[in-house]
Amino acid sequence: MNAIDIRSLRKEYKDLVAVKDLTLTIEEGELFSLLGVNGAGKTTSIKMLTTLTRPTSGDALIYGNSITTHPEAVKGLVDVSMQETAVARKLTVEENIDFYADLNGLTQEEKSMAKGEIYEAFGLAEVKDQRASTLSGGWQRKLSIALALVTRPKVLFLDEPTLGLDVLARRDLWRLISGLKGKMTIILTTHYMEEAEALSDRIGIMDKGSLRFVGTKEELYAASGKTSVEDAFIEMVSGGKKNA
Amino acid sequence: MRESLHRIYVLAKRNVKEIMRDPLSLIFTLGMPLAMEILFYFLFHGMTAQFDMKYLAPGIVVFSQAFLSLFAGLLIAQDRSSAFLTRLYVSRARSHEFIFGYALSLLPLVAVQSVLFFVVGGIIDPSIWSVGVLWCVLLSLVTALFYVGMGILLGSLCTEKSIGGIASIVIAGQSLLSGMWFPPEGLNGAILTIMRCLPFKNATELMQRALVGFTNATDFFVPFAVVLGYTVVVIGGAIYAFARKMQAK
């Protein structure tokens, strides 16, 4: 079953075409990584798919619900963790979770269940009474991603979730993201090629707003003649000019 | 409707916690105006009518409300500059729910300001106690809405860095163009006309007249209509600006 069905999605800003007629389907339960250099159109694509910005033309269906005609239905199915840490800094970890659950209309029972699962998966119970502002960058990012799971979305968008984290915190988050695989459909954007290599079922490469490649790692290696995602990515977006 | 009210309540509850946990907001909205009320009364009482407690206390209430524009604006600008609001935009909350969530969260602080400055004023000068105090507390909710709306508007338009400077213009406007520190009748005609057209003097006079007692209907309706008009425009502008920013995200 297709979780996401993107049909000629396009976004223009005055003279700039940020996303050029993107067409793509993503299966339910798949972890799909979207790679691209800065300005490739990854974040704009996510913003359109999460109803944060309207497409100039085209459409996308999230479990059959159009992002242009039924954005309210889409909002009930998706959640997002953006590049920047998105937490209420003066609230404690538990207050952050409670706030986000209440805002999304979860019942007490649903909230307790979500909290229990999040504490267990992310190890947040030990800092639940600490204000978010007093947490380290790694813990704040964990909380930020955890909040996106409070609503138990069917589709989770992770926009560069490990950006700026040290290697240990990054590996810790990889473990968490791996644990989510199969439980929901995940669309991950990242600049870390090894992250895409380790986590993805399929990889998409965007360049200047267009989708250049979609397939598995093995298909990417075959198409580029390379043996790593990084080399294959460079081959795809710059024709092999590594230092360009 | 019920879901919408619930979301407004949840947003307001979060905002109250954010504001109350910022010591600076309490210092500027409560501590500093209180110190000014006490200090200015004892330093200048008897020099001009402005420093009689019946005029000073309501003036201080409105002056302290001007700081709400700074803190409401700062909270929104900070939420906007972080990805926190972006996350909330993906929820089902609508732009007007965010606006009311921000506005309602400041009303408890408005009530505390009014009660505190009138109680302290009444202890210093018991002659101010009258039914007018109750009128003032009620009307302070209206004047506060203007400043809160202004804060939401500025917070929707300005960055976290620029909000301090822009909001200080509103605070300076309240201080200099309200007539709370000096008799405005001594100023030249053009300045007095400007003061009468802006909300600052009208908000202050509305409260001062409520305390001493309205002498006729015009005493109430003119300043009330001016303040209410500005409030409607500012809140309408805030909802529009906020919705535009939401869409721009």
Side-chain angles (χ1 to χ4, degrees):
Chain A
M1 183 188 181
N2 285 342
I4 303 175
D5 187 357
I6 305 171
R7 300 169 178 175
S8 302
L9 204 60
R10 188 179 182 88
K11 184 67 184 179
E12 296 174 5
Y13 295 103
K14 292 181 181 165
D15 299 331
L16 174 77
V17 183
V19 176
K20 292 176 190 163
D21 306 318
L22 180 67
T23 297
L24 174 69
T25 55
I26 297 171
E27 289 278 310
E28 183 174 41
E30 191 177 352
L31 197 156
F32 186 90
S33 288
L34 204 49
L35 307 181
V37 295
N38 290 333
K42 308 183 299 292
T43 299
T44 306
S45 300
I46 285 187
K47 284 183 174 176
M48 287 191 283
L49 294 172
T50 52
T51 74
L52 285 169
T53 191
R54 283 186 71 83
T56 307
S57 63
D59 200 356
L61 304 180
I62 311 286
Y63 282 92
N65 297 287
S66 161
I67 59 167
T68 56
T69 57
H70 295 93
E72 290 304 309
V74 172
K75 282 171 186 278
L77 295 168
V78 305
D79 218 318
V80 62
S81 176
M82 301 304 284
Q83 289 171 19
E84 308 90 352
T85 301
V87 297
R89 290 174 53 78
K90 292 196 184 79
L91 301 193
T92 66
V93 168
E94 185 164 24
E95 285 171 340
N96 263 285
I97 297 171
D98 284 342
F99 164 69
Y100 201 60
D102 291 339
L103 187 68
N104 284 285
L106 268 67
T107 63
Q108 281 299 326
E109 196 184 342
E110 289 169 334
K111 189 163 73 174
S112 300
M113 205 179 288
K115 227 190 276 188
E117 286 172 5
I118 284 168
Y119 284 162
E120 191 184 333
F122 289 76
L124 284 164
E126 62 182 278
V127 292
K128 72 182 175 70
D129 296 321
Q130 267 184 251
R131 286 190 191 176
S133 58
T134 65
L135 299 173
S136 68
W139 279 107
Q140 285 193 25
R141 191 62 64 86
K142 269 190 192 177
L143 174 59
S144 188
I145 294 173
L147 289 179
L149 297 171
V150 168
T151 58
R152 295 181 170 189
K154 295 189 86 168
V155 181
L156 175 65
F157 293 90
L158 298 173
D159 192 8
E160 300 187 30
T162 60
L163 187 71
L165 294 184
D166 64 48
V167 66
L168 292 178
R170 198 188 312 158
R171 286 296 168 110
D172 201 21
L173 272 177
W174 285 15
R175 184 185 54 76
L176 289 171
I177 294 167
S178 287
L180 297 172
K181 276 181 78 168
K183 294 178 184 166
M184 58 189 68
T185 306
I186 301 172
I187 290 81
L188 170 81
T189 75
T190 181
H191 283 299
Y192 299 109
M193 300 300 145
E194 70 273 28
E195 194 163 288
E197 200 159 3
L199 298 171
S200 319
D201 295 315
R202 281 196 306 156
I203 291 169
I205 295 178
M206 285 190 83
D207 184 35
K208 299 187 182 82
S210 298
L211 194 59
R212 289 286 184 90
F213 170 85
V214 181
T216 61
K217 280 178 290 190
E218 292 73 22
E219 288 167 345
L220 178 61
Y221 301 153
S224 62
K226 304 291 179 184
T227 53
S228 74
V229 171
E230 182 167 330
D231 288 339
F233 173 77
I234 291 166
E235 180 67 29
M236 290 275 172
V237 300
S238 65
K241 288 177 267 179
K242 196 161 187 169
N243 296 318
Chain B
M1 180 68 179
R2 198 175 158 187
E3 281 182 12
S4 180
L5 289 174
H6 174 74
R7 285 194 291 267
I8 290 170
Y9 168 74
V10 172
L11 287 164
K13 199 167 86 171
R14 172 259 165 176
N15 294 336
V16 167
K17 286 179 185 169
E18 290 274 349
I19 292 163
M20 291 303 164
R21 289 175 186 178
D22 180 1
L24 268 185
S25 65
L26 298 181
I27 289 169
F28 279 99
T29 54
L30 296 174
M32 192 181 77
L34 182 65
M36 288 170 81
E37 182 182 24
I38 296 167
L39 205 62
F40 285 10
Y41 176 81
F42 286 109
L43 284 175
F44 304 120
H45 169 231
M47 292 172 74
T48 67
Q50 272 70 25
F51 297 101
D52 288 351
M53 194 51 84
K54 63 186 174 190
Y55 296 116
L56 182 62
I60 286 287
V61 168
V62 183
F63 176 66
S64 67
Q65 289 177 349
F67 285 93
L68 297 177
S69 61
L70 172 63
F71 291 104
L74 201 56
L75 179 62
I76 294 166
Q78 281 171 346
D79 282 351
R80 277 183 46 231
S81 70
S82 73
F84 185 68
L85 264 186
T86 309
R87 173 187 290 291
L88 302 190
Y89 291 161
V90 182
S91 74
R92 288 197 169 120
R94 304 282 182 83
S95 54
H96 70 272
E97 293 169 1
F98 284 102
I99 299 292
F100 289 122
Y102 284 117
L104 288 177
S105 65
L106 288 159
L107 291 186
L109 187 56
V110 171
V112 171
Q113 286 176 318
S114 293
V115 171
L116 177 69
F117 301 138
F118 281 117
V119 166
V120 171
I123 291 169
I124 294 170
D125 179 1
S127 72
I128 70 165
W129 289 119
S130 68
V131 72
V133 172
L134 284 178
W135 271 110
C136 278
V137 173
L138 280 176
L139 287 170
S140 71
L141 297 176
V142 178
T143 54
L145 268 182
F146 164 71
Y147 291 104
V148 171
M150 183 61 88
I152 295 169
L153 178 64
L154 295 179
S156 301
L157 296 174
C158 302
T159 64
E160 191 181 347
K161 284 181 181 168
S162 64
I163 189 81
I166 307 276
S168 67
I169 296 172
V170 177
I171 296 167
Q174 176 55 39
S175 185
L176 299 172
L177 299 173
S178 66
M180 67 177 288
W181 304 123
F182 51 85
E185 287 69 28
L187 298 169
N188 80 43
I191 293 175
L192 195 55
T193 304
I194 291 169
M195 287 169 76
R196 283 181 179 144
C197 293
L198 291 172
F200 310 115
K201 184 174 187 293
N202 286 285
T204 304
E205 281 184 355
L206 182 67
M207 295 282 281
Q208 288 173 334
R209 289 173 187 172
L211 187 61
V212 298
F214 296 109
T215 51
N216 55 49
T218 313
D219 256 12
F220 169 75
F221 280 113
V222 171
F224 183 77
V226 172
V227 173
L228 194 63
Y230 273 101
T231 303
V232 169
V233 169
V234 159
I235 290 189
I239 291 175
Y240 176 76
F242 196 86
R244 292 273 299 187
K245 293 285 177 183
M246 267 181 96
Q247 192 55 44
K249 279 275 180 187

